[in-house]
Amino acid sequence: MQSELMTFGPVRMSGDEDEGGDPSLALKTRPKTKRPPLYKVMLLNDDYTPMEFVVHVLERFFHMSHAQAFEIMLTVHKKGLAVVGVFSHEIAETKVTQVMDFARRHQHPLQCTMEKE
Ligand code: TYC
């Protein structure tokens, strides 16, 4: 049974609770915890990949509804690129690989990249 009082992972405090002093006594604020960096996964526009293929990619790999996927595809088409998700480094890398492999298998030049947020 999970009590409401149980915590999972490091407790993050706002930072103004720590009175300073001996760091070995800093049991409450745990100043060493850092949240892991996040990565934006982006889709780039090109002149050849069919719009419906991009919509399918967004549905299949980024779990978007058809309407959402169509909207993001149009943003990429008009603006040149769009962020399609934000993930941990490992998940972002997997998404990029999946999209690039899928596009290559279908002989489309679609490009997917990641960038630290
Ligand atoms: N510009 C492409 C076309 O007119 C469509 C497209 C949209 C391609 C988004 C890539 O990431 C992309 N067929």
Side-chain angles (χ1 to χ4, degrees):
M1 205 195 67
Q2 296 185 358
S3 134
E4 285 178 55
L5 294 174
M6 289 174 114
T7 59
F8 298 91
V11 175
R12 297 178 195 282
M13 314 285 289
S14 64
D16 51 16
E17 291 95 334
D18 194 345
E19 301 297 304
D22 186 342
S24 70
L25 298 177
L27 301 175
K28 202 172 157 195
T29 55
R30 290 189 245 180
K32 276 193 171 158
T33 58
K34 281 225 276 294
R35 45 189 93 228
L38 292 173
Y39 292 79
K40 300 179 284 191
V41 171
M42 290 158 306
L43 230 44
L44 309 188
N45 189 37
D46 66 74
D47 292 338
Y48 305 103
T49 304
M51 290 184 172
E52 271 311 310
F53 183 82
V54 178
V55 171
H56 180 69
V57 162
L58 292 170
E59 291 171 335
R60 181 179 178 128
F61 298 112
F62 298 93
H63 311 292
M64 293 183 193
S65 69
H66 191 77
Q68 259 184 310
F70 198 90
E71 197 176 295
I72 299 291
M73 179 281 295
L74 273 188
T75 300
V76 179
H77 177 70
K78 290 181 194 163
K79 305 214 167 181
L81 86 178
V83 175
V84 299
V86 176
F87 306 98
S88 69
H89 187 272
E90 187 178 358
I91 301 292
E93 239 175 22
T94 301
K95 298 287 180 193
V96 169
T97 300
Q98 286 174 331
V99 172
M100 294 297 284
D101 286 355
F102 191 65
R104 190 170 34 79
R105 289 209 311 273
H106 290 82
Q107 304 189 44
H108 296 311
L110 180 63
Q111 295 292 304
C112 184
T113 61
M114 61 188 274
E115 180 183 292
K116 199 172 184 176
E117 210 178 36

